[in-house]
Amino acid sequence: MNIEAGKNRQKAISTQRVSKTSIITIILLISFLLLLLSSHLLHEHHGGITVDERAEWYNVKYHLARGIGFLKGADTSEVPVSYYGIANTILPYLASFKLGLPIRDYYRLAHVFSVACAIATAYLLRWTSRVCTLNNSWLASVMLLGSPAFFGYSLMNIKDIPIAFTYTLYTCTLLWFHRYMGSFSGRRLTHGTIIAAAVAGLFTSLRLTLLPVAFATFAFTTYFSIPVSNTNSLPAPGLHNRRRLRLLAYSCAMHALITFLVATLLLPAAWENPISFFINAFHTFRDYTIWDGCTLYRGECTSKLITKGWTTANYLLQWGLSQPTLLNIFNFLAGIPVALSAL
C-alpha cells in the first residue's frame, strides 16, 4: 500500500510539474508574440526600414547574383562582394520575391522568421535544461529574455536573433553528441561529427569570425566524449591516450572539412574561390574595416586602422565583452559547474 501510495504521489507531483511548465511555456509564447507586435509598431512609428534591413535585402541579392553568375560562367566582377551570411534572410527574401512584395513587406517576413527563431531558441534551452536534469527547466527560456537579442535595436535587427538560435542549436547538438558517445564506437564518432559539423556550417556561415568558437567548442566536447577505457584494449595507459588523441584529431579534421563545405554551400559568393573568400571575410570582420571603420569599445573607437597591435585576440575579447548583459554573465558563471557535471 505504501509503495502504491508513493507511486501515486510521484505521479501527482509529475503531473503538477508538467502543468506548471506548460503554463509558463504558454506565457513565454505570448511574450514573444507581444515582442513581435511591439517591434512592428516601433517599425511603423519610426517610418519603416533601417540601414541593416535594407543592407540584408541587398546582401541576398549580391550573393545570389554572384552564385548564379558563377554557375552560368558569367562575369560577376561588377557585383559587390558581401561577407555576411544569408541563411537568416534567404527564405523571407525568396517568399517576398515570389509574391512580388516590396522591400517593406520583405522586412516584415524576415522579422516573423526572427521571432520564430527566438521561440525555437527558448524550446532548445528548455530541452537542454531537462537533459541536464535541472529543476524548473522553464527558467532557461525566461533567461533568454535577458539576452542582448531582446534589448533595444537588436529586437528589430534580423541578424542577431537567428545567430543566437543557430549557436544554441549548435551547442544543443554538441550536448546530444556527448550523450550519443556514451556507448562509444568509431561509427558513432563519425556520425556525430558529421551532424555537429553540418550544424556548425550553418552557424558559422552567418558570421565567419565565429569559426574559432565553433571549432574550440567541438574539440573540447569531443575530448571529453571519447572514453579512455573504450578507445582500445591496449596494455599501457600512455597508449590509451595516444589512441584517444588520434581519434580526436580525426574527428576535428572531419569537422573542419564538413563545416567548411557546408558554410561554402550556404554562401554563394564564395563558390568561385572559397578559400580566398573565407580569408577576406574573416579579416574584414575581425579588423572592423566595414561600417565606419571601427567599433565602440569602452567609449573608444577601436579597429585595425586605429588601434596599435590589433590581433584576432583583440577582436574576440572585445566582441565577447561588449555583447552580454549582467544577466548573461551571471548565467555563464552559474552554468559552468552545471556543464562540467553534465560532462
Side-chain angles (χ1 to χ4, degrees):
M1 289 294 291
N2 288 337
I3 295 175
E4 190 67 28
K7 286 182 178 178
N8 290 335
R9 194 180 302 111
Q10 284 182 351
K11 191 180 294 184
I13 292 172
S14 177
T15 305
Q16 240 179 7
R17 284 181 178 172
V18 170
S19 176
K20 185 178 179 181
T21 301
S22 300
I23 291 171
I24 294 174
T25 301
I26 292 171
I27 292 173
L28 286 172
L29 178 59
I30 293 172
S31 299
F32 283 129
L33 293 176
L34 288 175
L35 284 172
L36 171 61
L37 176 61
S38 64
S39 62
H40 274 314
L41 293 175
L42 285 171
H43 171 256
E44 297 298 333
H45 176 72
H46 290 290
I49 302 158
T50 62
V51 173
D52 276 348
E53 278 67 56
R54 189 177 292 279
E56 285 296 312
W57 166 271
Y58 286 107
N59 177 42
V60 179
K61 293 184 72 170
Y62 295 153
H63 268 283
L64 293 180
R66 293 188 73 91
I68 294 171
F70 168 73
L71 294 176
K72 290 183 174 180
D75 181 16
T76 59
S77 58
E78 299 298 320
V79 180
V81 179
S82 175
Y83 296 117
Y84 282 106
I86 61 173
N88 59 319
T89 49
I90 183 68
L91 292 179
Y93 179 88
L94 292 177
S96 62
F97 180 78
K98 180 70 175 176
L99 297 172
L101 300 176
I103 187 172
R104 178 187 290 269
D105 290 325
Y106 148 77
Y107 166 72
R108 288 170 174 158
L109 287 176
H111 193 73
V112 169
F113 180 75
S114 294
V115 173
C117 287
I119 295 171
T121 305
Y123 275 93
L124 284 173
L125 289 171
R126 181 167 169 259
W127 174 83
T128 304
S129 301
R130 296 182 70 177
V131 168
C132 294
T133 63
L134 296 178
N135 293 327
N136 300 325
S137 59
W138 50 267
L139 280 173
S141 302
V142 176
M143 292 302 182
L144 181 66
L145 294 173
S147 164
F150 293 98
F151 279 96
Y153 176 67
S154 293
L155 178 61
M156 299 179 65
N157 191 312
I158 57 180
K159 296 193 299 290
D160 293 355
I161 297 175
I163 288 177
F165 165 70
T166 53
Y167 182 61
T168 306
L169 178 63
Y170 181 56
T171 52
C172 286
T173 302
L174 293 183
L175 178 60
W176 164 84
F177 172 80
H178 177 73
R179 290 167 65 84
Y180 185 61
M181 290 296 103
S183 176
F184 181 80
S185 69
R187 181 177 294 180
R188 280 181 171 248
L189 180 63
T190 300
H191 290 170
T193 300
I194 291 172
I195 293 171
V199 179
L202 169 64
F203 163 54
T204 57
S205 73
L206 293 175
R207 187 67 65 86
L208 292 177
T209 42
L210 297 172
L211 277 167
V213 177
F215 188 78
T217 311
F218 177 78
F220 177 82
T221 305
T222 305
Y223 180 79
F224 285 101
S225 298
I226 301 176
V228 176
S229 59
N230 291 339
T231 52
N232 204 354
S233 54
L234 298 172
L239 296 178
H240 280 299
N241 289 329
R242 278 186 227 163
R243 170 70 173 166
R244 191 184 193 191
L245 290 175
R246 279 200 296 271
L247 287 170
L248 176 63
Y250 155 78
S251 184
C252 286
M254 183 189 299
H255 181 275
L257 176 61
I258 296 174
T259 299
F260 175 78
L261 292 175
V262 172
T264 300
L265 180 65
L266 295 174
L267 293 165
W271 294 351
E272 185 174 358
N273 193 340
I275 295 177
S276 174
F277 179 88
F278 274 55
I279 292 173
N280 291 336
F282 189 88
H283 287 169
T284 298
F285 285 123
R286 182 199 65 181
D287 298 336
Y288 292 114
T289 51
I290 49 179
W291 307 305
D292 295 324
C294 76
T295 185
L296 283 176
Y297 177 70
R298 300 177 68 178
E300 296 181 3
C301 196
T302 62
S303 72
K304 184 179 180 179
L305 302 175
I306 299 171
T307 308
K308 293 182 179 179
W310 185 260
T311 64
T312 302
N314 289 116
Y315 170 78
L316 292 175
L317 178 66
Q318 293 189 14
W319 186 81
L321 292 180
S322 63
Q323 298 297 319
T325 61
L326 288 176
L327 182 58
N328 294 140
I329 296 171
F330 170 77
N331 292 339
F332 178 76
L333 294 176
I336 290 175
V338 175
L340 291 178
S341 64
L343 291 174

